[in-house]
């Protein structure tokens, strides 16, 4: 069958594919420990669920304005003011069906054939394909583990060309957990000040933050860049609301209007009920977030330490998000029963077959020396899963 050249240029999301594979194996009775899914294991908090139930009971079940209700836009504007010291009008905010949809819409309104989009690696698996689907060309900057997986201003300077249209900054990062400090962002901002390019700041892990400095985004750090920055965020990770599909962007009015136009021809509004839930998430009790984050931090401390104790594994300590991205390249070249492990994909397949552990190969995020494990699962699972990895790795010689 002939499919469009557009779809032939991309791959399916590897994080979702491996999560589905692990679920299918479990359904067949295999006791698989899942470190693949990038979603909180906590239930959506009860006040948020109740807001949705109330919405249904009150009949708030019809189309809303394409880009979200005024009530939700006001809650988002209040969140930006409260948390980020950024001011936006309703006309500068648009709500979509998850931050992935927001990023997709943004790429569709910004990029044309030949436009280059700078993506620091390791990157979230979907960025390059979202850019390619819009006709743009991803330009990858390889950050170094010794630099804390952060892009250096010199690297950024060297990647800029007359075709550069935008850069994507994701702090804290999926998959490394690296987060930029104010000084580091200022240095990046200094390179961008006199360049006519857009900055896409994906702040989805903003609240899942452990560093000893506060979270800040580039528009707050350098107000002169605010007119060219589009901040992307959502409720999926902070409020354990992955299934509700609410993401949003704030930025220049013209871009927001263009996203509204695109969205009016694809999904129309995000679910009315989920929008009511998102209002409660953003405006209700925020202590629930602290509780989830302290549990993530406990697990992070455990998993980093436990992975470090596996000979051949080195684990960068994340400053945010809920992933670890251990360097496993010292294991490459070893074999078990004639099966040689030479890259991250082969290691992940081996761990699934021999240890019943599901994780994601680093190559999906632009680094074949690493694998990604999500610790958004119970400490009990983490203990057992890491033990299994250790046993499987020790069999390799
Ligand atoms: N950005 C990053 C870095 C992510 O990890 C995710 C989660 N898949 C998203 C955006 C999209 O999140 P959602 O569509 O669930 O809002
Ligand atoms: N962001 C999550 C992850 O990276 C969810 C899956 C996805 O949307 O890719 O695993």
């Amino acid at each position: 069958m002939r499919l469009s050249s557009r779809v032939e240029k991309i791959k399916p999301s590897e994080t979702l594919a491996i999560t589905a594979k692990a679920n299918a194996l479990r359904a067949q009775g295999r006791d698989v420990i899942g470190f693949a899914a990038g979603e909180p294991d906590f239930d959506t908090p009860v006040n948020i669920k109740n807001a949705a139930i109330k919405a249904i009971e009150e009949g708030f079940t019809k189309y809303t304005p394409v880009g979200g209700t005024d009530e939700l836009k006001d809650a988002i504007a209040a969140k930006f003011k409260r948390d980020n010291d950024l001011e936006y009008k309703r006309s500068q905010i648009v709500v979509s069906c998850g931050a992935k949809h927001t990023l997709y819409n943004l790429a569709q309104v910004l990029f044309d054939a030949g436009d280059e989009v700078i993506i620091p690696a390791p990157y979230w698996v979907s960025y390059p394909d979202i850019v390619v689907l819009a006709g743009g060309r991803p330009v990858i900057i390889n950050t170094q583990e010794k630099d804390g997986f952060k892009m250096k201003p010199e690297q950024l300077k060297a990647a800029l060309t007359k075709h550069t249209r935008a850069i994507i900054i994701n702090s804290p990062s999926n998959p490394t957990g690296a987060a930029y400090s104010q000084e580091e962002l200022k240095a990046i901002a200094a390179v961008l000040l006199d360049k006519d390019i857009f900055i896409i700041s994906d702040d989805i892990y903003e609240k899942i933050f452990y560093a000893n400095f506060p979270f800040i985004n580039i528009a707050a750090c350098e107000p002169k860049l605010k007119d060219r920055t589009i901040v992307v965020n959502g409720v999926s990770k902070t409020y354990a609301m992955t299934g509700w599909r609410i993401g949003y962007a704030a930025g220049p009015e013209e871009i927001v209007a263009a996203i509204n136009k695109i969205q009016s021809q694809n999904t129309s509004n995000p679910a009315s009920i989920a929008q009511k839930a998102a209002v409660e998430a953003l405006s209700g009790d925020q202590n629930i977030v602290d509780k989830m984050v302290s549990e993530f931090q406990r697990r992070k401390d455990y998993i980093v330490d436990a992975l470090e104790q596996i000979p051949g594994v080195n684990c960068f300590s994340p400053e945010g998000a809920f992933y670890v991205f251990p360097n496993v390249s010292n294991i490459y070249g070893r074999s078990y029963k004639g099966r040689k492990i030479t890259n991250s994909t082969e290691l992940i397949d081996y761990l699934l077959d021999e240890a019943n552990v599901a994780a994601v190969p680093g190559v999906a995020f632009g680094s074949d020396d690493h694998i990604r494990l999500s610790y958004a699962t119970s400490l009990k699972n983490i203990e057992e899963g890491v033990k299994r990895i250790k046993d499987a790795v020790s069999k390799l010689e």
Side-chain angles (χ1 to χ4, degrees):
M1 191 195 304
R2 187 182 73 81
L3 296 173
S4 71
S5 56
R6 189 179 319 111
V7 76
E8 300 291 1
K9 279 190 203 135
I10 61 158
K11 342 168 260 320
S13 161
E14 182 112 357
T15 47
L16 296 179
I18 294 181
T19 306
K21 190 170 168 190
N23 288 340
L25 289 172
R26 261 188 228 111
Q28 288 167 19
R30 280 255 306 264
D31 162 35
V32 174
I33 293 196
F35 290 119
E39 68 175 343
D41 53 319
F42 306 112
D43 197 5
T44 303
V46 72
N47 61 314
I48 299 174
K49 286 186 185 178
N50 284 340
I53 292 166
K54 186 160 172 268
I56 295 173
E57 283 173 354
E58 289 177 352
F60 193 72
T61 53
K62 303 286 168 62
Y63 293 135
T64 74
V66 168
T69 60
D70 283 348
E71 185 192 23
L72 180 51
K73 287 183 190 173
D74 289 348
I76 292 168
K79 174 253 171 292
F80 276 120
K81 182 84 195 106
R82 175 188 73 206
D83 297 346
N84 310 108
D85 202 18
L86 290 172
E87 301 224 25
Y88 294 105
K89 296 184 278 192
R90 281 181 188 162
S91 55
Q92 294 180 289
I93 295 171
V94 56
V95 186
S96 306
C97 309
K100 190 185 274 183
H101 185 218
T102 309
L103 287 160
Y104 183 89
N105 284 339
L106 193 50
Q108 293 293 321
V109 308
L110 287 184
F111 308 143
D112 268 323
D115 284 343
E116 295 179 355
V117 181
I118 295 179
I119 304 176
Y123 46 73
W124 178 42
V125 64
S126 292
Y127 294 146
D129 283 332
I130 287 175
V131 169
V132 167
L133 275 172
R137 197 168 81 76
V139 173
I140 308 299
I141 293 182
N142 287 307
T143 69
Q144 301 300 312
E145 197 160 350
K146 67 172 172 46
D147 298 329
F149 288 117
K150 289 176 215 178
M151 174 178 52
K152 310 278 267 184
E154 311 81 80
Q155 289 183 294
L156 173 58
K157 249 183 239 163
L160 292 167
T161 74
K162 62 180 194 309
H163 302 293
T164 308
R165 177 79 168 144
I167 175 169
I168 304 180
I169 296 177
N170 174 219
S171 168
S173 145
N174 175 4
T176 64
Y180 288 88
S181 69
Q182 177 157 7
E183 296 69 50
E184 288 161 342
L185 275 182
K186 274 223 178 277
I188 300 286
V191 179
L192 297 171
L193 268 180
D194 62 350
K195 306 283 179 310
D196 184 21
I197 71 174
F198 289 106
I199 300 127
I200 298 171
S201 180
D202 179 350
D203 296 1
I204 194 111
Y205 295 102
E206 159 186 18
K207 294 289 172 192
I208 305 168
F209 202 83
Y210 326 108
N212 57 5
F213 51 83
F215 169 85
I216 188 162
N217 80 21
I218 197 160
C221 189
E222 177 46 85
K224 289 194 197 111
L225 290 180
K226 189 174 170 229
D227 289 349
R228 288 192 273 131
T229 303
I230 304 97
V231 181
V232 175
N233 209 326
V235 296
S236 285
K237 317 286 173 175
T238 307
Y239 301 100
M241 289 177 72
T242 44
W244 299 75
R245 311 310 301 130
I246 295 289
Y248 54 86
E253 260 174 6
E254 216 177 323
I255 293 176
V256 165
I259 292 179
N260 268 284
K261 181 157 92 173
I262 286 267
Q263 192 159 298
S264 77
Q265 297 293 16
N266 56 48
T267 57
S268 303
N269 60 278
S272 59
I273 302 152
Q275 289 190 60
K276 281 283 188 188
V279 169
E280 175 60 24
L282 294 169
S283 329
D285 177 15
Q286 300 297 303
N287 288 327
I288 46 172
V289 178
D290 298 341
K291 285 203 194 105
M292 293 193 267
V293 174
S294 33
E295 180 57 25
F296 282 138
Q297 180 148 13
R298 212 160 71 92
R299 298 170 183 179
K300 176 207 55 136
D301 291 343
Y302 176 83
I303 197 169
V304 169
D305 196 46
L307 287 168
E308 277 280 331
Q309 288 175 29
I310 303 178
V313 177
N314 297 301
C315 191
F316 172 78
S317 186
E319 292 158 314
F322 41 64
Y323 309 98
V324 272
F325 202 57
N327 188 322
V328 289
S329 58
N330 286 332
I331 294 171
Y332 298 166
R334 299 186 199 170
S335 314
Y336 176 63
K337 289 189 179 162
R339 180 173 187 171
K340 193 167 175 186
I341 308 299
T342 63
N343 58 39
S344 62
T345 307
E346 288 171 5
L347 180 61
I348 290 298
D349 288 346
Y350 170 74
L351 291 177
L352 191 56
D353 295 345
E354 285 297 323
N356 275 333
V357 165
V360 188
V363 69
F365 308 94
S367 174
D368 209 14
D369 284 348
H370 299 81
I371 59 173
R372 189 193 81 172
L373 287 85
S374 157
Y375 50 87
T377 184
S378 70
L379 201 50
K380 191 165 154 279
N381 277 345
I382 295 172
E383 282 167 6
E384 171 62 18
V386 176
K387 186 177 158 299
R388 290 185 191 182
I389 296 174
K390 189 173 184 179
D391 292 347
V393 169
S394 71
K395 287 199 257 175
L396 292 166
E397 45 193 29

